[in-house]
Amino acid sequence: MRKVFKFKHSLTIVVALLLSFVFSQLVSAFTEELTIIPERNVLVIHQYSAEHAYQDLFNQGLRESFEADARYFYNFSYEYLEIDQMPHDAVYLEKAVELFAYKMKHSNWQPDIVVASDGVSDWLLKHKDHLFGDIPIVACAPGYAGKSTIPIDYFTDHYLLPGQDSFAENYQLILDLLPDTENIYVVLGNSYEEQNLLTLAKEEAEVFKDKVTFVYMNRRNNADMLSTLRNAPPRSAVLFSRWLTDIDGESFIPSRYLTYVASTIDIPVFVTQQQFTNKGVVGGYVYDISLLGADAGTMAIELLDGVETSSFTNEERYHHYIFDERALKHWNIDSRRLPADSIVLFTEKNFWQEHGDVVVIVGVILALETGLIIDLIYSNRRRVKAEADLLLLNESLENIVEQRTLELQRANAQLEELNRRLDHTARIDPLTGLSNRRHMDERLKEELQLLKRRGHEFSIMIIDIDDFKTVNDNLGHMVGDRVLQQVADVLRENVRKYDVVSRWGGEEFLLLFPALKECDALARADALRAEVEN
């Protein structure tokens, strides 16, 4: 009887301690809720689509800097302008600005500061005052010259100059880890950004040209690039910087595409950026954009506090060595050859190293719960019926929510299809299927801007069908329409993919040939006339 009494007495003490701990936590939480923390709003602008993984890393570093400041509660809003989807569509860019401006004007949520992760393009700079007014801006200028023709300090006095891909360090790393390497395939696409990086990659390869052969993939389409890597000879390696756009203009999401590439080729792949390190690759000396985001957050906090911002310029700390243990084993790379400060992911641990803390915690919990288990059994029986009733109610609510969600999805799909049809109708001549006069006007303005800014030549041709009125008068308008359609087909089939053929009016057609000089345009015009004549 004494032993039973001692056990119950000890159990009572344990239960009392647990209740005391829970009560103290509840009081602490309630006190924190009553404390009013001032709020600040942060607008983060990304110029590209949300699918690009590097933007998640930037957001992560940015939020960590703001969350470390306990004086305020920071609210975040993210804008992905998706310029990479239609970079040359002036109408889309203007509509994107109009939508952004509308949201800024009518939203109850107004930013205290703006952070731009991708620098600034010409079109965003043009609308700076209209969009942001006096709101302070922190911007990150690309270290590889970017697309903007206007210096970053025209956009804001508060900016960072981030790091960029380190090619020389990765070339040396490949030769250190795989000394027998004879060929390095450098994967870079053909976009403007990648062309600038290619120049850097080639410059830094000069030191190694006597040790290894470099093969650059920028002047290939996607199929040719994959075929080249799959048929690479032994003693080869890949350095993947990015693959945004191939020579045919096809666009890709590099972080997604790399997973596919690494799984379909039989040579080791090294990378230059942090977001690629978990894609089945060996690793490399990578640029960690989360650190850039952290610096942008620090600068923004200083700016909000009225402190003169310190400069951040291409610091070496943005880079570190990261490797995947699984890939190192697959390619028989000795981890002892790695640089001293390397980070190795997915390393294998023994059971106690991996689960020791969990085992201890579970043991303590089981010891405490053993004394309470009997009481919980009786309490559980009383809750069964209430839980069953609650489950039925939840199922009913879930069905209602699911039905409303499906209705909303259908309505959104119909609206998207209607918008697509309206845009198509507004730009296409219904008889010939060619671009209409409105679309040609927009393209001519774009080419004229390129001519003024960069001196890019272009040619235009106007085509008129001789004696077309005679066809309509003698054979009827249906035959005349068929003649217009056949001429349109001939013109469409005998121009380049990026040339624009439009119906200008009646039996007149207007053709736009970007980058076509006058001497070549005359020959092209005669060739088109001959095709129509045939």
Side-chain angles (χ1 to χ4, degrees), residues 192-223:
Y192 184 90
E193 173 184 334
E194 290 165 296
Q195 290 176 24
N196 287 316
L197 281 172
L198 178 67
T199 301
L200 177 64
K202 289 183 176 180
E203 289 175 355
E204 297 189 358
E206 285 296 312
V207 179
F208 305 90
K209 64 181 181 180
D210 295 331
K211 302 177 182 179
V212 66
T213 299
F214 291 91
V215 182
Y216 303 97
M217 314 302 287
N218 61 300
R219 301 299 296 175
R220 304 170 190 265
N221 60 31
N222 180 53

PDB file of all heavy atoms in Angstrom, residues 192-223:
ATOM      1  N   TYR A 192      20.783  37.783 -73.832  1.00  0.00           N
ATOM      2  CA  TYR A 192      21.688  38.920 -73.650  1.00  0.00           C
ATOM      3  C   TYR A 192      22.514  38.740 -72.374  1.00  0.00           C
ATOM      4  O   TYR A 192      23.733  38.966 -72.377  1.00  0.00           O
ATOM      5  CB  TYR A 192      20.864  40.214 -73.564  1.00  0.00           C
ATOM      6  CG  TYR A 192      21.688  41.460 -73.476  1.00  0.00           C
ATOM      7  CD1 TYR A 192      22.075  42.136 -74.630  1.00  0.00           C
ATOM      8  CD2 TYR A 192      22.095  41.974 -72.246  1.00  0.00           C
ATOM      9  CE1 TYR A 192      22.845  43.296 -74.542  1.00  0.00           C
ATOM     10  CE2 TYR A 192      22.851  43.116 -72.151  1.00  0.00           C
ATOM     11  CZ  TYR A 192      23.220  43.788 -73.292  1.00  0.00           C
ATOM     12  OH  TYR A 192      23.978  44.923 -73.212  1.00  0.00           O
ATOM     13  N   GLU A 193      21.858  38.349 -71.306  1.00  0.00           N
ATOM     14  CA  GLU A 193      22.558  38.134 -70.044  1.00  0.00           C
ATOM     15  C   GLU A 193      23.624  37.061 -70.177  1.00  0.00           C
ATOM     16  O   GLU A 193      24.757  37.220 -69.708  1.00  0.00           O
ATOM     17  CB  GLU A 193      21.548  37.740 -68.974  1.00  0.00           C
ATOM     18  CG  GLU A 193      22.150  37.327 -67.655  1.00  0.00           C
ATOM     19  CD  GLU A 193      21.087  36.849 -66.688  1.00  0.00           C
ATOM     20  OE1 GLU A 193      19.932  37.286 -66.822  1.00  0.00           O
ATOM     21  OE2 GLU A 193      21.402  36.028 -65.810  1.00  0.00           O
ATOM     22  N   GLU A 194      23.280  35.956 -70.858  1.00  0.00           N
ATOM     23  CA  GLU A 194      24.227  34.849 -70.978  1.00  0.00           C
ATOM     24  C   GLU A 194      25.391  35.186 -71.918  1.00  0.00           C
ATOM     25  O   GLU A 194      26.496  34.688 -71.737  1.00  0.00           O
ATOM     26  CB  GLU A 194      23.489  33.610 -71.477  1.00  0.00           C
ATOM     27  CG  GLU A 194      22.534  33.040 -70.428  1.00  0.00           C
ATOM     28  CD  GLU A 194      21.548  32.068 -71.007  1.00  0.00           C
ATOM     29  OE1 GLU A 194      20.727  32.498 -71.850  1.00  0.00           O
ATOM     30  OE2 GLU A 194      21.594  30.886 -70.645  1.00  0.00           O
ATOM     31  N   GLN A 195      25.155  36.030 -72.913  1.00  0.00           N
ATOM     32  CA  GLN A 195      26.245  36.442 -73.798  1.00  0.00           C
ATOM     33  C   GLN A 195      27.301  37.216 -73.021  1.00  0.00           C
ATOM     34  O   GLN A 195      28.507  37.042 -73.242  1.00  0.00           O
ATOM     35  CB  GLN A 195      25.691  37.288 -74.937  1.00  0.00           C
ATOM     36  CG  GLN A 195      24.849  36.497 -75.946  1.00  0.00           C
ATOM     37  CD  GLN A 195      24.235  37.392 -76.993  1.00  0.00           C
ATOM     38  OE1 GLN A 195      24.738  38.478 -77.274  1.00  0.00           O
ATOM     39  NE2 GLN A 195      23.128  36.960 -77.567  1.00  0.00           N
ATOM     40  N   ASN A 196      26.873  38.089 -72.085  1.00  0.00           N
ATOM     41  CA  ASN A 196      27.835  38.814 -71.261  1.00  0.00           C
ATOM     42  C   ASN A 196      28.611  37.864 -70.364  1.00  0.00           C
ATOM     43  O   ASN A 196      29.829  38.015 -70.165  1.00  0.00           O
ATOM     44  CB  ASN A 196      27.102  39.861 -70.418  1.00  0.00           C
ATOM     45  CG  ASN A 196      26.632  41.038 -71.241  1.00  0.00           C
ATOM     46  OD1 ASN A 196      27.364  41.551 -72.074  1.00  0.00           O
ATOM     47  ND2 ASN A 196      25.401  41.460 -71.037  1.00  0.00           N
ATOM     48  N   LEU A 197      27.921  36.870 -69.798  1.00  0.00           N
ATOM     49  CA  LEU A 197      28.605  35.890 -68.968  1.00  0.00           C
ATOM     50  C   LEU A 197      29.577  35.054 -69.793  1.00  0.00           C
ATOM     51  O   LEU A 197      30.636  34.652 -69.307  1.00  0.00           O
ATOM     52  CB  LEU A 197      27.579  34.977 -68.287  1.00  0.00           C
ATOM     53  CG  LEU A 197      26.894  35.565 -67.059  1.00  0.00           C
ATOM     54  CD1 LEU A 197      25.775  34.652 -66.597  1.00  0.00           C
ATOM     55  CD2 LEU A 197      27.879  35.802 -65.943  1.00  0.00           C
ATOM     56  N   LEU A 198      29.214  34.758 -71.045  1.00  0.00           N
ATOM     57  CA  LEU A 198      30.085  33.972 -71.912  1.00  0.00           C
ATOM     58  C   LEU A 198      31.421  34.688 -72.119  1.00  0.00           C
ATOM     59  O   LEU A 198      32.482  34.044 -72.140  1.00  0.00           O
ATOM     60  CB  LEU A 198      29.398  33.717 -73.257  1.00  0.00           C
ATOM     61  CG  LEU A 198      30.223  32.931 -74.276  1.00  0.00           C
ATOM     62  CD1 LEU A 198      30.438  31.498 -73.794  1.00  0.00           C
ATOM     63  CD2 LEU A 198      29.538  32.933 -75.642  1.00  0.00           C
ATOM     64  N   THR A 199      31.367  35.995 -72.285  1.00  0.00           N
ATOM     65  CA  THR A 199      32.613  36.759 -72.436  1.00  0.00           C
ATOM     66  C   THR A 199      33.513  36.560 -71.218  1.00  0.00           C
ATOM     67  O   THR A 199      34.723  36.331 -71.345  1.00  0.00           O
ATOM     68  CB  THR A 199      32.297  38.255 -72.611  1.00  0.00           C
ATOM     69  OG1 THR A 199      31.468  38.427 -73.764  1.00  0.00           O
ATOM     70  CG2 THR A 199      33.566  39.063 -72.774  1.00  0.00           C
ATOM     71  N   LEU A 200      32.918  36.614 -70.019  1.00  0.00           N
ATOM     72  CA  LEU A 200      33.691  36.389 -68.799  1.00  0.00           C
ATOM     73  C   LEU A 200      34.222  34.961 -68.740  1.00  0.00           C
ATOM     74  O   LEU A 200      35.381  34.731 -68.373  1.00  0.00           O
ATOM     75  CB  LEU A 200      32.806  36.673 -67.581  1.00  0.00           C
ATOM     76  CG  LEU A 200      33.433  36.415 -66.213  1.00  0.00           C
ATOM     77  CD1 LEU A 200      34.607  37.355 -65.988  1.00  0.00           C
ATOM     78  CD2 LEU A 200      32.386  36.608 -65.116  1.00  0.00           C
ATOM     79  N   ALA A 201      33.382  33.989 -69.127  1.00  0.00           N
ATOM     80  CA  ALA A 201      33.800  32.583 -69.086  1.00  0.00           C
ATOM     81  C   ALA A 201      35.003  32.346 -70.005  1.00  0.00           C
ATOM     82  O   ALA A 201      35.931  31.604 -69.651  1.00  0.00           O
ATOM     83  CB  ALA A 201      32.635  31.689 -69.487  1.00  0.00           C
ATOM     84  N   LYS A 202      35.003  32.960 -71.167  1.00  0.00           N
ATOM     85  CA  LYS A 202      36.107  32.762 -72.108  1.00  0.00           C
ATOM     86  C   LYS A 202      37.377  33.469 -71.624  1.00  0.00           C
ATOM     87  O   LYS A 202      38.483  32.943 -71.786  1.00  0.00           O
ATOM     88  CB  LYS A 202      35.701  33.276 -73.493  1.00  0.00           C
ATOM     89  CG  LYS A 202      34.656  32.404 -74.181  1.00  0.00           C
ATOM     90  CD  LYS A 202      34.340  32.926 -75.582  1.00  0.00           C
ATOM     91  CE  LYS A 202      33.366  31.990 -76.304  1.00  0.00           C
ATOM     92  NZ  LYS A 202      33.052  32.471 -77.669  1.00  0.00           N
ATOM     93  N   GLU A 203      37.201  34.665 -71.049  1.00  0.00           N
ATOM     94  CA  GLU A 203      38.377  35.376 -70.548  1.00  0.00           C
ATOM     95  C   GLU A 203      39.068  34.577 -69.439  1.00  0.00           C
ATOM     96  O   GLU A 203      40.301  34.456 -69.427  1.00  0.00           O
ATOM     97  CB  GLU A 203      37.946  36.741 -70.011  1.00  0.00           C
ATOM     98  CG  GLU A 203      37.530  37.727 -71.092  1.00  0.00           C
ATOM     99  CD  GLU A 203      36.989  39.019 -70.510  1.00  0.00           C
ATOM    100  OE1 GLU A 203      36.852  39.100 -69.270  1.00  0.00           O
ATOM    101  OE2 GLU A 203      36.694  39.941 -71.282  1.00  0.00           O
ATOM    102  N   GLU A 204      38.269  34.024 -68.524  1.00  0.00           N
ATOM    103  CA  GLU A 204      38.863  33.283 -67.406  1.00  0.00           C
ATOM    104  C   GLU A 204      39.368  31.906 -67.834  1.00  0.00           C
ATOM    105  O   GLU A 204      40.096  31.252 -67.080  1.00  0.00           O
ATOM    106  CB  GLU A 204      37.849  33.168 -66.277  1.00  0.00           C
ATOM    107  CG  GLU A 204      37.465  34.520 -65.705  1.00  0.00           C
ATOM    108  CD  GLU A 204      36.628  34.425 -64.448  1.00  0.00           C
ATOM    109  OE1 GLU A 204      36.307  33.291 -64.028  1.00  0.00           O
ATOM    110  OE2 GLU A 204      36.287  35.481 -63.879  1.00  0.00           O
ATOM    111  N   ALA A 205      38.981  31.451 -69.029  1.00  0.00           N
ATOM    112  CA  ALA A 205      39.466  30.158 -69.521  1.00  0.00           C
ATOM    113  C   ALA A 205      40.852  30.258 -70.143  1.00  0.00           C
ATOM    114  O   ALA A 205      41.503  29.231 -70.366  1.00  0.00           O
ATOM    115  CB  ALA A 205      38.480  29.593 -70.539  1.00  0.00           C
ATOM    116  N   GLU A 206      41.311  31.469 -70.428  1.00  0.00           N
ATOM    117  CA  GLU A 206      42.600  31.634 -71.100  1.00  0.00           C
ATOM    118  C   GLU A 206      43.746  31.006 -70.295  1.00  0.00           C
ATOM    119  O   GLU A 206      44.683  30.443 -70.861  1.00  0.00           O
ATOM    120  CB  GLU A 206      42.878  33.126 -71.321  1.00  0.00           C
ATOM    121  CG  GLU A 206      42.070  33.754 -72.458  1.00  0.00           C
ATOM    122  CD  GLU A 206      42.444  33.146 -73.793  1.00  0.00           C
ATOM    123  OE1 GLU A 206      43.650  33.028 -74.082  1.00  0.00           O
ATOM    124  OE2 GLU A 206      41.512  32.734 -74.521  1.00  0.00           O
ATOM    125  N   VAL A 207      43.664  31.089 -68.977  1.00  0.00           N
ATOM    126  CA  VAL A 207      44.734  30.556 -68.125  1.00  0.00           C
ATOM    127  C   VAL A 207      44.828  29.034 -68.240  1.00  0.00           C
ATOM    128  O   VAL A 207      45.899  28.448 -68.048  1.00  0.00           O
ATOM    129  CB  VAL A 207      44.479  30.961 -66.656  1.00  0.00           C
ATOM    130  CG1 VAL A 207      45.550  30.397 -65.736  1.00  0.00           C
ATOM    131  CG2 VAL A 207      44.410  32.478 -66.540  1.00  0.00           C
ATOM    132  N   PHE A 208      43.708  28.375 -68.590  1.00  0.00           N
ATOM    133  CA  PHE A 208      43.647  26.910 -68.578  1.00  0.00           C
ATOM    134  C   PHE A 208      43.672  26.296 -69.983  1.00  0.00           C
ATOM    135  O   PHE A 208      43.524  25.088 -70.131  1.00  0.00           O
ATOM    136  CB  PHE A 208      42.368  26.454 -67.869  1.00  0.00           C
ATOM    137  CG  PHE A 208      42.206  27.004 -66.486  1.00  0.00           C
ATOM    138  CD1 PHE A 208      41.539  28.205 -66.268  1.00  0.00           C
ATOM    139  CD2 PHE A 208      42.739  26.340 -65.394  1.00  0.00           C
ATOM    140  CE1 PHE A 208      41.384  28.721 -64.995  1.00  0.00           C
ATOM    141  CE2 PHE A 208      42.582  26.840 -64.111  1.00  0.00           C
ATOM    142  CZ  PHE A 208      41.908  28.029 -63.911  1.00  0.00           C
ATOM    143  N   LYS A 209      43.810  27.112 -71.037  1.00  0.00           N
ATOM    144  CA  LYS A 209      43.650  26.599 -72.398  1.00  0.00           C
ATOM    145  C   LYS A 209      44.712  25.568 -72.777  1.00  0.00           C
ATOM    146  O   LYS A 209      44.493  24.753 -73.685  1.00  0.00           O
ATOM    147  CB  LYS A 209      43.643  27.751 -73.402  1.00  0.00           C
ATOM    148  CG  LYS A 209      44.948  28.536 -73.467  1.00  0.00           C
ATOM    149  CD  LYS A 209      44.827  29.681 -74.467  1.00  0.00           C
ATOM    150  CE  LYS A 209      46.127  30.478 -74.568  1.00  0.00           C
ATOM    151  NZ  LYS A 209      46.000  31.588 -75.557  1.00  0.00           N
ATOM    152  N   ASP A 210      45.862  25.587 -72.091  1.00  0.00           N
ATOM    153  CA  ASP A 210      46.899  24.588 -72.387  1.00  0.00           C
ATOM    154  C   ASP A 210      46.681  23.287 -71.620  1.00  0.00           C
ATOM    155  O   ASP A 210      47.355  22.286 -71.883  1.00  0.00           O
ATOM    156  CB  ASP A 210      48.278  25.153 -72.036  1.00  0.00           C
ATOM    157  CG  ASP A 210      48.653  26.330 -72.917  1.00  0.00           C
ATOM    158  OD1 ASP A 210      48.195  26.377 -74.076  1.00  0.00           O
ATOM    159  OD2 ASP A 210      49.390  27.212 -72.439  1.00  0.00           O
ATOM    160  N   LYS A 211      45.738  23.289 -70.661  1.00  0.00           N
ATOM    161  CA  LYS A 211      45.488  22.105 -69.846  1.00  0.00           C
ATOM    162  C   LYS A 211      44.236  21.354 -70.260  1.00  0.00           C
ATOM    163  O   LYS A 211      44.123  20.146 -70.048  1.00  0.00           O
ATOM    164  CB  LYS A 211      45.354  22.511 -68.372  1.00  0.00           C
ATOM    165  CG  LYS A 211      46.565  23.235 -67.820  1.00  0.00           C
ATOM    166  CD  LYS A 211      46.323  23.657 -66.376  1.00  0.00           C
ATOM    167  CE  LYS A 211      47.512  24.429 -65.812  1.00  0.00           C
ATOM    168  NZ  LYS A 211      47.256  24.865 -64.410  1.00  0.00           N
ATOM    169  N   VAL A 212      43.271  22.056 -70.822  1.00  0.00           N
ATOM    170  CA  VAL A 212      41.974  21.438 -71.105  1.00  0.00           C
ATOM    171  C   VAL A 212      41.336  22.145 -72.298  1.00  0.00           C
ATOM    172  O   VAL A 212      41.622  23.313 -72.575  1.00  0.00           O
ATOM    173  CB  VAL A 212      41.062  21.545 -69.853  1.00  0.00           C
ATOM    174  CG1 VAL A 212      40.718  22.978 -69.553  1.00  0.00           C
ATOM    175  CG2 VAL A 212      39.803  20.719 -70.020  1.00  0.00           C
ATOM    176  N   THR A 213      40.483  21.418 -73.018  1.00  0.00           N
ATOM    177  CA  THR A 213      39.747  21.993 -74.153  1.00  0.00           C
ATOM    178  C   THR A 213      38.372  22.451 -73.683  1.00  0.00           C
ATOM    179  O   THR A 213      37.653  21.706 -73.014  1.00  0.00           O
ATOM    180  CB  THR A 213      39.573  20.952 -75.270  1.00  0.00           C
ATOM    181  OG1 THR A 213      40.866  20.538 -75.722  1.00  0.00           O
ATOM    182  CG2 THR A 213      38.773  21.529 -76.427  1.00  0.00           C
ATOM    183  N   PHE A 214      38.006  23.688 -74.027  1.00  0.00           N
ATOM    184  CA  PHE A 214      36.716  24.241 -73.628  1.00  0.00           C
ATOM    185  C   PHE A 214      35.752  24.189 -74.812  1.00  0.00           C
ATOM    186  O   PHE A 214      36.100  24.565 -75.938  1.00  0.00           O
ATOM    187  CB  PHE A 214      36.862  25.687 -73.152  1.00  0.00           C
ATOM    188  CG  PHE A 214      37.589  25.806 -71.855  1.00  0.00           C
ATOM    189  CD1 PHE A 214      38.982  25.979 -71.830  1.00  0.00           C
ATOM    190  CD2 PHE A 214      36.915  25.723 -70.652  1.00  0.00           C
ATOM    191  CE1 PHE A 214      39.657  26.086 -70.626  1.00  0.00           C
ATOM    192  CE2 PHE A 214      37.585  25.831 -69.441  1.00  0.00           C
ATOM    193  CZ  PHE A 214      38.959  26.008 -69.429  1.00  0.00           C
ATOM    194  N   VAL A 215      34.532  23.732 -74.546  1.00  0.00           N
ATOM    195  CA  VAL A 215      33.475  23.684 -75.557  1.00  0.00           C
ATOM    196  C   VAL A 215      32.305  24.507 -75.022  1.00  0.00           C
ATOM    197  O   VAL A 215      31.730  24.172 -73.975  1.00  0.00           O
ATOM    198  CB  VAL A 215      33.017  22.237 -75.843  1.00  0.00           C
ATOM    199  CG1 VAL A 215      31.955  22.239 -76.941  1.00  0.00           C
ATOM    200  CG2 VAL A 215      34.205  21.368 -76.223  1.00  0.00           C
ATOM    201  N   TYR A 216      31.945  25.573 -75.745  1.00  0.00           N
ATOM    202  CA  TYR A 216      30.874  26.463 -75.301  1.00  0.00           C
ATOM    203  C   TYR A 216      29.591  26.135 -76.059  1.00  0.00           C
ATOM    204  O   TYR A 216      29.590  25.964 -77.274  1.00  0.00           O
ATOM    205  CB  TYR A 216      31.270  27.921 -75.521  1.00  0.00           C
ATOM    206  CG  TYR A 216      32.547  28.286 -74.820  1.00  0.00           C
ATOM    207  CD1 TYR A 216      33.768  28.277 -75.494  1.00  0.00           C
ATOM    208  CD2 TYR A 216      32.544  28.600 -73.460  1.00  0.00           C
ATOM    209  CE1 TYR A 216      34.951  28.596 -74.840  1.00  0.00           C
ATOM    210  CE2 TYR A 216      33.730  28.912 -72.796  1.00  0.00           C
ATOM    211  CZ  TYR A 216      34.929  28.913 -73.495  1.00  0.00           C
ATOM    212  OH  TYR A 216      36.081  29.220 -72.858  1.00  0.00           O
ATOM    213  N   MET A 217      28.462  26.096 -75.320  1.00  0.00           N
ATOM    214  CA  MET A 217      27.212  25.589 -75.883  1.00  0.00           C
ATOM    215  C   MET A 217      26.249  26.690 -76.328  1.00  0.00           C
ATOM    216  O   MET A 217      25.127  26.403 -76.720  1.00  0.00           O
ATOM    217  CB  MET A 217      26.501  24.709 -74.828  1.00  0.00           C
ATOM    218  CG  MET A 217      27.418  23.718 -74.119  1.00  0.00           C
ATOM    219  SD  MET A 217      28.243  22.611 -75.279  1.00  0.00           S
ATOM    220  CE  MET A 217      26.879  21.580 -75.745  1.00  0.00           C
ATOM    221  N   ASN A 218      26.671  27.950 -76.291  1.00  0.00           N
ATOM    222  CA  ASN A 218      25.725  29.043 -76.494  1.00  0.00           C
ATOM    223  C   ASN A 218      25.173  29.114 -77.910  1.00  0.00           C
ATOM    224  O   ASN A 218      24.063  29.591 -78.117  1.00  0.00           O
ATOM    225  CB  ASN A 218      26.400  30.377 -76.149  1.00  0.00           C
ATOM    226  CG  ASN A 218      27.600  30.651 -77.043  1.00  0.00           C
ATOM    227  OD1 ASN A 218      28.554  29.867 -77.059  1.00  0.00           O
ATOM    228  ND2 ASN A 218      27.571  31.740 -77.783  1.00  0.00           N
ATOM    229  N   ARG A 219      25.901  28.641 -78.909  1.00  0.00           N
ATOM    230  CA  ARG A 219      25.441  28.750 -80.303  1.00  0.00           C
ATOM    231  C   ARG A 219      24.731  27.487 -80.773  1.00  0.00           C
ATOM    232  O   ARG A 219      24.750  27.154 -81.942  1.00  0.00           O
ATOM    233  CB  ARG A 219      26.636  29.042 -81.219  1.00  0.00           C
ATOM    234  CG  ARG A 219      27.400  30.318 -80.890  1.00  0.00           C
ATOM    235  CD  ARG A 219      26.532  31.550 -80.990  1.00  0.00           C
ATOM    236  NE  ARG A 219      26.069  31.776 -82.349  1.00  0.00           N
ATOM    237  CZ  ARG A 219      25.218  32.717 -82.707  1.00  0.00           C
ATOM    238  NH1 ARG A 219      24.690  33.507 -81.789  1.00  0.00           N
ATOM    239  NH2 ARG A 219      24.853  32.857 -83.952  1.00  0.00           N
ATOM    240  N   ARG A 220      24.072  26.795 -79.857  1.00  0.00           N
ATOM    241  CA  ARG A 220      23.373  25.558 -80.196  1.00  0.00           C
ATOM    242  C   ARG A 220      21.920  25.666 -79.741  1.00  0.00           C
ATOM    243  O   ARG A 220      21.599  26.382 -78.802  1.00  0.00           O
ATOM    244  CB  ARG A 220      24.031  24.352 -79.509  1.00  0.00           C
ATOM    245  CG  ARG A 220      25.520  24.194 -79.814  1.00  0.00           C
ATOM    246  CD  ARG A 220      26.141  23.131 -78.917  1.00  0.00           C
ATOM    247  NE  ARG A 220      27.603  23.132 -79.028  1.00  0.00           N
ATOM    248  CZ  ARG A 220      28.290  22.344 -79.837  1.00  0.00           C
ATOM    249  NH1 ARG A 220      27.647  21.474 -80.595  1.00  0.00           N
ATOM    250  NH2 ARG A 220      29.608  22.412 -79.892  1.00  0.00           N
ATOM    251  N   ASN A 221      21.067  24.886 -80.437  1.00  0.00           N
ATOM    252  CA  ASN A 221      19.707  24.769 -79.932  1.00  0.00           C
ATOM    253  C   ASN A 221      19.669  23.684 -78.868  1.00  0.00           C
ATOM    254  O   ASN A 221      20.654  23.003 -78.621  1.00  0.00           O
ATOM    255  CB  ASN A 221      18.697  24.501 -81.056  1.00  0.00           C
ATOM    256  CG  ASN A 221      18.997  23.204 -81.806  1.00  0.00           C
ATOM    257  OD1 ASN A 221      19.517  22.240 -81.233  1.00  0.00           O
ATOM    258  ND2 ASN A 221      18.665  23.168 -83.086  1.00  0.00           N
ATOM    259  N   ASN A 222      18.518  23.529 -78.244  1.00  0.00           N
ATOM    260  CA  ASN A 222      18.423  22.623 -77.101  1.00  0.00           C
ATOM    261  C   ASN A 222      18.771  21.186 -77.479  1.00  0.00           C
ATOM    262  O   ASN A 222      19.531  20.507 -76.780  1.00  0.00           O
ATOM    263  CB  ASN A 222      17.001  22.679 -76.527  1.00  0.00           C
ATOM    264  CG  ASN A 222      16.834  21.775 -75.339  1.00  0.00           C
ATOM    265  OD1 ASN A 222      17.599  21.835 -74.393  1.00  0.00           O
ATOM    266  ND2 ASN A 222      15.847  20.904 -75.393  1.00  0.00           N
ATOM    267  N   ALA A 223      18.234  20.688 -78.593  1.00  0.00           N
ATOM    268  CA  ALA A 223      18.481  19.300 -78.991  1.00  0.00           C
ATOM    269  C   ALA A 223      19.959  19.065 -79.282  1.00  0.00           C
ATOM    270  O   ALA A 223      20.533  18.045 -78.887  1.00  0.00           O
ATOM    271  CB  ALA A 223      17.628  18.959 -80.221  1.00  0.00           C
TER     272      ALA A 223
END
